[in-house]
Amino acid sequence: MAAECMLTLRDARAIADAVDTPVFVYDLDAIRQRVERLHSTVASVAPFGFTLRYAMKANSCLALLQVLRDLPAPINLHIDASSEYEVLRAMRAGFPASRIQLTSQFPVQNVAAKFVQQGGSYNACSLLQLQRFAADCAAAAASSSYSTLQSTTSSSSILSSPPHVCLRVNPGLGSGGTNRTNVGGPASSFGVWHEQLDEALRIAHQHSVKITACHSHIGSGTDPTTWARAADLTLALVARMPDVTTVSLGGGFKVDRMLAADPIDMRVVAQGIADRLQNFYTLHKRKLHLELEPGTFLVAQHGCVLSRCVDVVSTGAQGYTFVKLDAGMNQVLRPSLYGAQHPIFVLPRGEEERKPPAADGDVCLSSSGATITATEASCIFVGPCCESGDILTPSPGDPEGLAPRQMPFMPQPGDLVVVGGCGAYCSAMATGNYNSYPLAPEVVLLPNASPRQQQQHEEGRMWRVARQRQTLEQVLENERPLY
Ligand SMILES: Cc1ncc(COP(=O)(O)O)c(C=O)c1O
């Protein structure tokens, strides 16, 4: 079944009237439920314990992080951070360091003093990172005073002796929705290449660092069969790492933003992992605690961009009808980058104005007054940037191809348009201030806690602005004039 629009017409109008468009909207309650379901599905079968991390690179909105931080036991959601800035952001959102793991492509300096001494865990993603971590720990242990990333934090050192570290491995196999989301195998720079494991073990031994966890993440949008093979390869490496007690199999669980239902059954995936951990125990007599760190799977389907059609242009009978929105690559880069597919819904201005699916011969009026035939209700949706790549409906997997969408009626300037599947890797990954457009605001739909709110829900969801629209002053604030 095709994905449905997450906003009612009433809510969309209320939000657009109050904060204007484009605006990100996230359904916090739906995300909470999704996290709870995934946690209970995996925790109920994981034989030796389970920790769920949220890969905050997917969406680092403060309001969302706060909801995730406060999920009740037994969830105790942890964070996968991909830079020291994400670590800081998670801590500012109230996550203790002990619930954060840093997995960064960038070899962060002084990670022990800054973060691990406060209880955070570090995932070394290269031999250099491992070496540097060992040196940092030695320096931090030698020094009685250390700075903290959070100036307000005054925790005492909890650096274990010997220091513990997680090792990210590249198991030799990758997968992903596209080559750009594939982060495993020989064409990927992520993690220690599996053939260099002995070198990693030697470095750890030489510097008295204990590798107690092993991590692999092979890509986003990975199909379950490849994912299971990667899990097998990772466990084969863990068998050679005697101190490892935790295995993190990353994220990457497939979501099809165009569909209402998940393309994978997480109960089957979870059981597959549980069986592997049980077999590992039978063979090696070692109980492995399991970690997973999805981003997409938890948030992608519960966010959207509410936008407006600002123009409609046609390139004639042999060409296309382009529906221009006030939202595009500045908010949703994935189509331009990967040829990713997002559902698009045009909201009627009023029931009476809703046109039936266009039939050959119908005519509509474009903003310029030119007539556009009804066959052009098949639309290419584009964004407002001066960039031919600013396109929301490319061919699947091919950002350079154009794939017209059949819409039930021809959008017209002023129509509200919802781009779905924008909860993950949209706000967090957008092209920011390109063309000097300000960052779009973020609005969160709130849970309906009380019966009164429930009643209001029937009249319209409660919502709140979680991030305001950027002002031009904020766009320019770090610039310094030459004269
Ligand atoms: C190390 C790591 N873990 C987890 C994830 C989350 O992946 P996804 O959002 O596809 O679940 C990523 C994504 O790039 C990642 O790099």
Side-chain angles (χ1 to χ4, degrees), residues 24 26 59 257 299-300 303-305 332 342 419-427:
F24 290 95
Y26 309 127
N59 186 334
R257 290 165 170 83
V299 292
C304 67
V305 174
V332 193
H342 285 253
V419 183
C422 293
Y425 303 105
C426 287
S427 177

Side-chain angles (χ1 to χ4, degrees), residues 344-470:
I344 296 182
F345 311 91
V346 182
L347 304 182
R349 268 157 286 143
E351 283 312 308
E352 71 286 355
E353 290 179 82
R354 183 176 212 147
K355 297 194 179 98
D360 281 355
D362 280 0
V363 286
C364 316
L365 217 56
S366 80
S367 57
S368 59
T371 54
I372 290 173
T373 65
T375 48
E376 289 159 330
S378 113
C379 316
I380 301 287
F381 286 88
V382 297
C385 288
C386 193
E387 183 74 34
S388 59
D390 188 8
I391 178 164
L392 288 161
T393 50
S395 304
D398 173 14
E400 294 189 5
L402 299 181
R405 287 278 169 92
Q406 300 303 320
M407 303 311 290
F409 60 97
M410 174 61 71
Q412 291 181 27
D415 282 351
L416 288 175
V417 178
V418 175
V419 183
C422 293
Y425 303 105
C426 287
S427 177
M429 206 175 74
T431 54
N433 296 131
Y434 187 48
N435 284 193
S436 296
Y437 288 112
L439 293 184
E442 293 177 312
V443 155
V444 288
L445 302 178
L446 299 172
N448 297 293
S450 67
R452 196 172 149 269
Q453 285 175 342
Q454 190 62 44
Q455 191 193 334
Q456 281 177 337
H457 179 80
E458 273 141 37
E459 293 159 17
R461 287 285 294 270
M462 307 250 294
W463 57 270
R464 191 172 296 165
V465 174
R467 182 179 77 179
Q468 293 186 319
R469 190 178 306 281
Q470 204 178 26

